[in-house]
Each structure stands twice: as C-alpha cells, then as structure tokens.
Amino acid sequence: QVQLVESGGGLVQPGGSLRLSCTVSGATLDYYVIAWFRQAPGKEREGVSCISSSAGSEYYQDSVKGRFTISGDNAKNTVYLQMNNLNPEDTAVYYCAGQLYYCSEYADPYDHWGQGTQVTVSS
C-alpha cells in the first residue's frame, strides 16, 4: 500500500526557513505525483505546490512563489519543500498528498495523504 510520511515541521521566527520532507513507500516517484497542501485553523485546505517527475513539472501557489521550492529525490523516494522567508501567514498544518496522474491545486483527486506536520511562524 502507498504510504506518505511528512517530517520537518517546527517553530521558526519570521524570515526563517524550514525544509519539509515527504517520504513515499509503495510507489516510485518516477510515476507518481506529490503535492503539498496546508490548512490553518478555521480555513479550508489549500494547495501550496506540486511536482510531477514524469511530466517534469512544478507548480506553486502565488503566495509562495519565490519563497518555496519543491524538489524530488527519486532514488530516495522523497519530495522536499524548502520554505524560505517564512511569515506568520504561512502558519498551518502541512500535508503531502499523492496520486498517479497529474498535479491539481484541489485536494479531491489525491488518493493518499500524510499525517501532517505543524509549521508555526512566530516571534
């Protein structure tokens, strides 16, 4: 079975950086799509970024462009989200999600989800 496990969340000051990891088992990133979503208290889950190795494509939500970078290490079956210049509005639970087909900014198409990792940006 496909399983996704996130790690790397924590508490950082505004302007700081974090690197999230999503390790995939039961599927190879050569033929799998991984997206990052986040959900803040009282808000809907929103798409942050996505990577498709087969398509050679990366996508970012406008609010994180220039600050976040998604990358994959196919040999390690791990996708990373490097988050720089964090601000308090980035505070949320971050989830990785996977599917076989394509990147989507919406949660519905994704078949597998990680447990989530908390990112808190505060002074």
Side-chain angles (χ1 to χ4, degrees):
Q1 297 184 12
V2 176
Q3 290 187 326
L4 281 61
V5 179
E6 303 104 330
S7 63
L11 174 65
V12 297
Q13 297 183 78
S17 298
L18 284 173
R19 189 193 196 196
L20 305 184
S21 298
C22 176
T23 299
V24 179
S25 60
T28 174
L29 295 184
D30 290 334
Y31 304 102
Y32 208 61
V33 174
I34 293 292
W36 287 96
F37 288 78
R38 66 186 182 186
Q39 188 167 22
K43 296 185 178 180
E44 297 293 320
R45 190 169 297 187
E46 63 178 357
V48 177
S49 186
C50 183
I51 186 168
S52 172
S53 293
S54 61
S57 301
E58 301 172 8
Y59 300 93
Y60 299 94
Q61 182 194 101
D62 286 346
S63 67
V64 308
K65 287 180 179 177
R67 299 190 298 122
F68 291 10
T69 303
I70 192 169
S71 63
D73 186 333
N74 288 9
K76 296 181 178 180
N77 245 35
T78 299
V79 170
Y80 305 97
L81 186 67
Q82 179 67 47
M83 305 186 295
N84 297 326
N85 195 24
L86 288 161
N87 58 62
E89 289 70 45
D90 296 313
T91 296
V93 177
Y94 284 70
Y95 301 88
C96 62
Q99 65 166 316
L100 287 171
Y101 306 108
Y102 55 85
C103 281
S104 174
E105 64 181 309
Y106 304 106
D108 288 349
Y110 293 91
D111 299 311
H112 299 95
W113 292 82
Q115 81 287 352
T117 184
Q118 177 71 49
V119 172
T120 302
V121 185
S122 176
S123 299

